Amino acid sequence: RVASVLKDHERLSGVDVNSLVHSTNEELLRLLEVVLAAEKAQASLVKDLLQSFQRDGRKLKKAWRCDVTGGLNKTGYLTLANAAFDRASSTETPFSLIILDLNFLKAVNDNLGEKYGDVVLKLVHDVAVTELQRAGLSVYSADNKEGNVLVSKYGGDEYGVCLPGMTLERAA
């Protein structure tokens, strides 16, 4: 994360991150303080955004809803998954992530049309949510903002399933 913030800082400020090798400890500490302050501000912004979405479920439908599956879209998924990962990291709790790639979707789209491909995408989403719920897990949705498991189509034929607090053994 620090490397990513530094690269963003380099891009925005024009400061060459490689030149930091020759910096003094005091200069590096000052830079680290700036980076940490930026991270805190970003975390606060995400927290405020999440609270805002929790207060008004209609915003989830408009901003974080996937038109194809009805679930979270990539933006909503990545925002919530990053926040869940940060919480798991700071509390040293397990965090599992499952990536699904539908290799056959291109053939469906090419042979039957995208309308049928969208049906497949919706079915995969619905089956994933149903099976997770059947396993006793609470899946986040517009109707269940207390759910901690995230399911989302985040690419053309890719899904992410975020399982905060779950070990690899249990996720498998």
Side-chain angles (χ1 to χ4, degrees), residues 1 39 42-43 46 50 74-90 95 97 150 162 164:
R1 276 191 143 321
E39 283 287 308
Q42 183 181 15
V46 168
L50 289 174
K74 182 179 180 177
T75 301
Y77 175 78
L78 291 176
T79 300
L80 294 173
N82 281 330
F85 178 77
D86 289 345
R87 275 192 307 277
S89 294
S90 68
F95 181 91
L97 185 65
L150 307 173
C162 174

Side-chain angles (χ1 to χ4, degrees), residues 57-58 60-61 65 70-71 133 138-147:
R58 290 173 297 186
L60 173 65
K61 283 188 174 182
R65 185 177 180 275
Q133 289 171 335
S138 180
V139 179
Y140 186 94
S141 69
D143 299 325
N144 181 21
K145 292 178 202 62
E146 299 301 316

Side-chain angles (χ1 to χ4, degrees), residues 77-129:
Y77 175 78
L78 291 176
T79 300
L80 294 173
N82 281 330
F85 178 77
D86 289 345
R87 275 192 307 277
S89 294
S90 68
T91 59
E92 297 182 7
T93 57
F95 181 91
S96 293
L97 185 65
I98 299 171
I99 304 297
L100 304 172
D101 190 340
L102 310 180
N103 292 326
F104 61 86
L105 187 65
K106 182 175 177 1
V108 172
N109 284 337
D110 290 348
N111 294 308
L112 301 174
E114 287 186 15
K115 178 180 174 183
Y116 290 96
D118 287 352
V119 169
V120 169
L121 292 168
K122 173 89 172 106
L123 285 171
V124 168
H125 179 270
D126 291 350
V127 167
V129 169

Side-chain angles (χ1 to χ4, degrees), residues 16-103:
D16 179 11
V17 174
N18 295 323
S19 69
L20 296 175
V21 172
H22 303 292
S23 299
T24 65
N25 285 343
E26 187 177 297
E27 291 169 326
L28 290 173
L29 284 174
R30 269 197 310 259
L31 178 61
L32 187 54
E33 286 172 354
V34 169
V35 168
L36 290 175
E39 283 287 308
K40 243 184 205 178
Q42 183 181 15
S44 176
L45 180 65
V46 168
K47 182 180 176 185
D48 291 347
L49 183 63
L50 289 174
Q51 288 172 346
S52 170
F53 278 118
Q54 288 173 344
R55 282 192 299 271
D56 187 356
R58 290 173 297 186
K59 289 182 181 177
L60 173 65
K61 283 188 174 182
K62 292 178 184 174
W64 284 2
R65 185 177 180 275
C66 174
D67 293 334
V68 175
T69 67
L72 283 169
N73 65 16
K74 182 179 180 177
T75 301
Y77 175 78
L78 291 176
T79 300
L80 294 173
N82 281 330
F85 178 77
D86 289 345
R87 275 192 307 277
S89 294
S90 68
T91 59
E92 297 182 7
T93 57
F95 181 91
S96 293
L97 185 65
I98 299 171
I99 304 297
L100 304 172
D101 190 340
L102 310 180
N103 292 326

